[in-house]
Amino acid sequence: MPDDTLSLRPEDDPIGRAMQWLEGIADREDWAPKARFGLTLSVDEALTNIVAYAFTPASAGAGEPVINLACADDGRELKVEIADNGHAFDPTSLEIADAALTLDEAEVGGHGLRLMRHYLKSFHYQRDGAWNRLTLVLDSPAG
């Protein structure tokens, strides 16, 4: 699989464009349904949070807001890196509360990371200068 990249601006429907990009790769590479679903859900969750929080308020001197995606499969692992030049934020450092046992106990929010941990082999964060880099990892998903 060739490395695939996509560069997005937060105001240009980045989630919709990223989903089309990822679905195109999944179709071309014939990913298994579970891998396709888990990775699509995880990218959607990460981008939703980036768009909602990474660039508000604007950081002084950060330049124009950008989100870059890169997808690569080495035959063992598929990795999608999501990089943004927004505020520093490490989603891997968050504690995830136990799931609610009843609907009355359920709270809104905080479930995306639980789903990502369920579907992904792993995910990693690093701050690289002015960039957040979140790498999502799955076992190679060829169907």
Side-chain angles (χ1 to χ4, degrees):
M1 171 178 152
D3 286 1
D4 288 280
T5 61
L6 179 66
S7 186
L8 304 164
R9 295 166 35 115
E11 65 273 10
D12 293 338
D13 185 28
I15 298 167
R17 290 186 56 211
M19 293 301 99
Q20 288 179 330
W21 171 79
L22 195 59
E23 286 292 332
I25 296 168
D27 288 344
R28 184 188 72 213
E29 300 300 323
D30 193 28
W31 291 351
K34 183 177 180 183
R36 179 188 297 249
F37 177 79
L39 194 55
T40 300
L41 178 117
S42 297
V43 169
D44 185 303
E45 174 64 23
L47 286 175
T48 296
N49 287 316
I50 290 168
V51 169
Y53 305 112
F55 304 107
T56 304
S59 297
E64 186 172 335
V66 177
I67 304 167
N68 294 320
L69 288 89
C71 181
D73 186 346
D74 66 8
R76 293 180 310 105
E77 292 181 331
L78 170 88
K79 295 180 181 179
V80 173
E81 181 186 80
I82 304 170
D84 70 80
N85 62 342
H87 302 291
F89 177 70
D90 179 0
T92 66
S93 68
L94 298 176
E95 291 292 323
I96 297 177
D98 292 334
L101 298 177
T102 69
L103 192 55
D104 290 335
E105 295 173 2
E107 294 183 19
V108 175
H111 302 288
L113 284 174
R114 178 181 287 106
L115 291 169
M116 290 171 73
R117 287 183 177 158
H118 175 77
Y119 284 104
L120 299 173
K121 178 179 181 179
S122 62
F123 58 103
H124 315 278
Y125 170 85
Q126 76 176 74
R127 184 71 177 178
D128 181 16
W131 290 85
N132 295 298
R133 297 191 184 280
L134 181 64
T135 304
L136 313 177
V137 182
L138 277 176
D139 285 324
S140 188

